[in-house]
Amino acid sequence: MRHQILLLLSLMLSSSMVAFSGNFYNDFYLTWGDGRCKVLNKGELLTVTLDKVSGSGFESKNEYLYARIDMQIKLVGGNSAGTVTAYYLSSKGDFHDEIDFEFLGNETGQPYTLHTNVFCQGKGNREQQFKLWFDPTADFHTYSIIWNPQHIVFMVDNTPIREYKNLEAYGVPFPKYQPMKLYSSLWNADNWATRGGLVKIDWSRAPFNAYFRTFNADNACIWSPSRSASSCKSNSIFSSFSNNGWLWEKLDFSGQGKMKWVQKNYMIYNYCTDYKRFPQGLPTECYLNPLV
């Protein structure tokens, strides 16, 4: 019990240990919502809004081929049932790659569901879902995606909650060829988001708002479509002592311990244990992850 209390305190304190930079005017396009997506405070704050007519969203100006992306988000408060706040990296096309955070709203007093997924070459079905150990509507919290040639890591307040390893050597697809942009939006998903679609949006509480600040992509390989080249120099990315050493970082012992603790206490769905969904056998990575 004492160990669990100390670990929870460590998770809570880690949220104040991440530095950020970025300006929404410089880094993003407001792509849809007819004015419902707004940049405020001289580019330091971005809001997305959902009402009965439309949701809204934005996307990064840059494309990335490997990155660490950090964003502080404050989710829709009160009765958010039926709403989804999405925050994800994605390429384009039928065979796209995608790395998803989706926050599924709930009735007042009930916790959000944090939904994660990884798409490779157009195929997803790799969902893991979590409850959070804090109220994500009371204040801003940091949600991060680490995508490098070793793995994909989903992080909350600098604490890893999920790792998708590069297991290409064993025939498991891994996103590494398609540059991705960062997207985010707030939209109506009341046909499935809350209790499988049983709870609908209460439009009397509209408009619904989510807030974003302190975007950071300092550790990122920016893709140039005109040159078909990355900003990470090919002669340096293989050196763990170069500026691109983050490309080769793996979870250390402490990170693995924190992730296991979160998964033990807060994971509510894992595709790798859903035998009914995969009667012919679980996906290959489900058997390999504990071994490599």
Side-chain angles (χ1 to χ4, degrees):
M1 177 62 71
R2 181 173 181 270
H3 173 74
Q4 290 185 339
I5 293 173
L6 290 174
L7 185 54
L8 181 57
L9 287 172
S10 172
L11 301 186
M12 294 171 66
L13 289 171
S14 66
S15 63
S16 63
M17 299 173 63
V18 184
F20 298 93
S21 60
N23 183 287
F24 286 106
Y25 284 123
N26 298 333
D27 297 325
F28 291 92
Y29 298 114
L30 309 185
T31 50
W32 65 283
D34 194 25
R36 291 173 179 80
C37 188
K38 297 178 181 178
V39 177
L40 306 170
N41 296 354
K42 299 181 179 179
E44 294 182 357
L45 180 70
L46 189 152
T47 66
V48 288
T49 296
L50 167 69
D51 59 30
K52 202 167 185 177
V53 175
S54 177
S56 54
F58 60 95
E59 69 179 57
S60 63
K61 294 182 178 179
N62 287 327
E63 291 181 284
Y64 307 98
L65 189 58
Y66 300 130
R68 171 169 176 153
I69 303 292
D70 304 292
M71 185 83 80
Q72 291 191 341
I73 306 173
K74 183 179 179 182
L75 298 175
V76 175
N79 186 352
S80 58
T83 71
V84 169
T85 305
Y87 164 65
Y88 60 102
L89 287 168
S90 182
S91 60
K92 296 181 179 179
D94 293 338
F95 299 97
H96 73 291
D97 296 333
E98 190 170 320
I99 304 169
D100 283 345
F101 274 105
E102 289 186 315
F103 304 91
L104 314 185
N106 214 332
E107 297 167 286
T108 301
Q110 299 300 313
Y112 265 78
T113 296
L114 171 53
H115 177 97
T116 66
N117 202 355
V118 176
F119 285 75
C120 298
Q121 300 165 26
K123 183 180 179 181
N125 299 327
R126 301 179 177 93
E127 299 92 344
Q128 290 183 357
Q129 294 183 336
F130 304 82
K131 300 300 183 185
L132 294 167
W133 52 93
F134 54 83
D135 179 358
T137 73
D139 203 351
F140 286 89
H141 290 269
T142 305
Y143 303 93
S144 306
I145 297 169
I146 297 176
W147 170 39
N148 69 26
Q150 312 303 307
H151 59 190
I152 295 163
V153 180
F154 297 79
M155 303 185 77
V156 176
D157 286 340
N158 217 30
T159 296
I161 65 168
R162 177 182 182 179
E163 181 183 31
Y164 181 83
K165 297 178 181 178
N166 184 344
L167 299 172
E168 276 193 311
Y170 302 93
V172 178
F174 186 83
K176 68 175 188 179
Y177 297 111
Q178 301 186 62
M180 294 195 257
K181 283 190 171 188
L182 179 67
Y183 297 86
S184 194
S185 59
L186 176 58
W187 52 288
N188 173 4
D190 69 2
N191 61 323
W192 66 273
T194 306
R195 293 175 56 197
L198 293 177
V199 183
K200 303 300 184 181
I201 292 178
D202 180 358
W203 291 111
S204 69
R205 297 177 179 268
F208 303 96
N209 299 288
Y211 305 88
F212 298 76
R213 72 181 187 188
T214 49
F215 164 72
N216 182 56
D218 287 346
N219 287 332
C221 299
I222 298 173
W223 183 256
S224 171
S226 62
R227 297 188 298 112
S228 295
S230 164
S231 64
C232 294
K233 296 180 180 178
S234 60
N235 63 351
S236 65
I237 63 174
F238 297 101
S239 170
S240 60
F241 301 101
S242 72
N243 291 335
N244 297 314
W246 62 273
L247 279 165
W248 307 106
E249 290 180 355
K250 298 182 179 180
L251 281 182
D252 59 16
F253 182 78
S254 174
Q256 292 176 20
K258 289 179 179 178
M259 184 176 67
K260 289 178 181 177
W261 186 86
V262 170
Q263 292 181 352
K264 178 181 178 181
N265 291 279
Y266 295 99
M267 180 184 283
I268 59 172
Y269 177 78
N270 182 3
Y271 76 108
C272 278
T273 60
D274 194 343
Y275 292 93
K276 290 183 179 179
R277 183 180 178 188
F278 301 102
Q280 304 304 317
L282 296 172
T284 303
E285 65 268 20
C286 299
Y287 299 105
L288 291 171
N289 272 322
L291 304 176
V292 296

